[in-house]
Amino acid sequence: MTNNAVNSNPFNLRVIEEFRRNEGRVGGPFAGRNLLLLTTRGARSGLLRTTPLVYLPHDGQLIVFASNGGSPTAPGWYHNLVAVPEATVEVGTERHAVRARFLEGPQAEEAWTLQIAVDPSFADFRERAARGGREVPVVALERTAG
């Protein structure tokens, strides 16, 4: 996957540009948080899409939560990974291929516990999604040889 990915959200575009300009560091609401750029292939469009995401580093994996801020619908990047689990991540100045593995049960609960300890706002995202009838998927991004 190349750097020619798109993102139509103006806020995300600014974060992506700042991330790349500053070797993975950004200010504003993401200041001091673990942030990565995830590039997926659009499930319907086939276009490459890049999204900034907060992640949890755990056991050599990058764990992301498809919370969409607690929205009743999952984010587009999640649907893209379900359709095509191969993606690219940028962390700091590093870029590598990953494969998505969808966590369930005790693994997902452990990830939630760890993430909420680091960033309590994720508890609110999870509760809001649950009130809307949605369980937030937890995804481990595992480095591949690609």
Side-chain angles (χ1 to χ4, degrees), residues 95 113 115 125 130 133 145-146:
R95 179 181 176 88
T113 299
Q115 181 61 27
F125 298 157

PDB file of all heavy atoms in Angstrom, residues 95 113 115 125 130 133 145-146:
ATOM      1  N   ARG A  95       6.969   2.411   8.937  1.00  0.00           N
ATOM      2  CA  ARG A  95       5.798   2.023   8.150  1.00  0.00           C
ATOM      3  C   ARG A  95       5.930   0.529   7.865  1.00  0.00           C
ATOM      4  O   ARG A  95       6.996   0.074   7.434  1.00  0.00           O
ATOM      5  CB  ARG A  95       5.809   2.834   6.861  1.00  0.00           C
ATOM      6  CG  ARG A  95       4.708   2.558   5.908  1.00  0.00           C
ATOM      7  CD  ARG A  95       4.905   3.455   4.660  1.00  0.00           C
ATOM      8  NE  ARG A  95       3.934   3.158   3.683  1.00  0.00           N
ATOM      9  CZ  ARG A  95       2.734   3.725   3.623  1.00  0.00           C
ATOM     10  NH1 ARG A  95       2.397   4.647   4.486  1.00  0.00           N
ATOM     11  NH2 ARG A  95       1.878   3.380   2.696  1.00  0.00           N
ATOM     12  N   THR A 113      -9.523  -3.369  29.360  1.00  0.00           N
ATOM     13  CA  THR A 113      -9.037  -3.013  30.698  1.00  0.00           C
ATOM     14  C   THR A 113      -7.757  -2.194  30.610  1.00  0.00           C
ATOM     15  O   THR A 113      -7.620  -1.154  31.268  1.00  0.00           O
ATOM     16  CB  THR A 113      -8.812  -4.284  31.546  1.00  0.00           C
ATOM     17  OG1 THR A 113     -10.065  -4.963  31.670  1.00  0.00           O
ATOM     18  CG2 THR A 113      -8.272  -3.953  32.923  1.00  0.00           C
ATOM     19  N   GLN A 115      -6.607  -0.468  27.952  1.00  0.00           N
ATOM     20  CA  GLN A 115      -6.812   0.816  27.272  1.00  0.00           C
ATOM     21  C   GLN A 115      -7.517   1.823  28.176  1.00  0.00           C
ATOM     22  O   GLN A 115      -7.158   3.001  28.200  1.00  0.00           O
ATOM     23  CB  GLN A 115      -7.601   0.618  25.971  1.00  0.00           C
ATOM     24  CG  GLN A 115      -7.837   1.895  25.193  1.00  0.00           C
ATOM     25  CD  GLN A 115      -6.552   2.579  24.749  1.00  0.00           C
ATOM     26  OE1 GLN A 115      -5.514   1.941  24.558  1.00  0.00           O
ATOM     27  NE2 GLN A 115      -6.597   3.888  24.600  1.00  0.00           N
ATOM     28  N   PHE A 125     -16.730   5.822  25.459  1.00  0.00           N
ATOM     29  CA  PHE A 125     -17.007   5.402  24.085  1.00  0.00           C
ATOM     30  C   PHE A 125     -17.714   4.044  24.089  1.00  0.00           C
ATOM     31  O   PHE A 125     -18.690   3.835  23.367  1.00  0.00           O
ATOM     32  CB  PHE A 125     -15.721   5.276  23.262  1.00  0.00           C
ATOM     33  CG  PHE A 125     -14.933   6.541  23.101  1.00  0.00           C
ATOM     34  CD1 PHE A 125     -13.581   6.476  22.824  1.00  0.00           C
ATOM     35  CD2 PHE A 125     -15.513   7.796  23.228  1.00  0.00           C
ATOM     36  CE1 PHE A 125     -12.825   7.624  22.655  1.00  0.00           C
ATOM     37  CE2 PHE A 125     -14.771   8.959  23.069  1.00  0.00           C
ATOM     38  CZ  PHE A 125     -13.423   8.863  22.787  1.00  0.00           C
ATOM     39  N   ALA A 130     -22.675   0.830  23.497  1.00  0.00           N
ATOM     40  CA  ALA A 130     -23.554  -0.194  24.063  1.00  0.00           C
ATOM     41  C   ALA A 130     -24.983   0.324  24.202  1.00  0.00           C
ATOM     42  O   ALA A 130     -25.947  -0.408  23.923  1.00  0.00           O
ATOM     43  CB  ALA A 130     -23.018  -0.667  25.413  1.00  0.00           C
ATOM     44  N   GLY A 133     -26.748  -0.099  21.204  1.00  0.00           N
ATOM     45  CA  GLY A 133     -26.917  -1.489  20.790  1.00  0.00           C
ATOM     46  C   GLY A 133     -25.723  -2.091  20.066  1.00  0.00           C
ATOM     47  O   GLY A 133     -25.852  -3.121  19.407  1.00  0.00           O
ATOM     48  N   ALA A 145       5.232  -9.944   7.020  1.00  0.00           N
ATOM     49  CA  ALA A 145       6.500  -9.842   6.298  1.00  0.00           C
ATOM     50  C   ALA A 145       6.394  -8.949   5.067  1.00  0.00           C
ATOM     51  O   ALA A 145       7.395  -8.659   4.446  1.00  0.00           O
ATOM     52  CB  ALA A 145       6.978 -11.226   5.894  1.00  0.00           C
ATOM     53  N   GLY A 146       5.164  -8.502   4.723  1.00  0.00           N
ATOM     54  CA  GLY A 146       4.983  -7.751   3.475  1.00  0.00           C
ATOM     55  C   GLY A 146       5.468  -6.369   3.437  1.00  0.00           C
ATOM     56  O   GLY A 146       5.835  -5.627   4.211  1.00  0.00           O
TER      57      GLY A 146
END
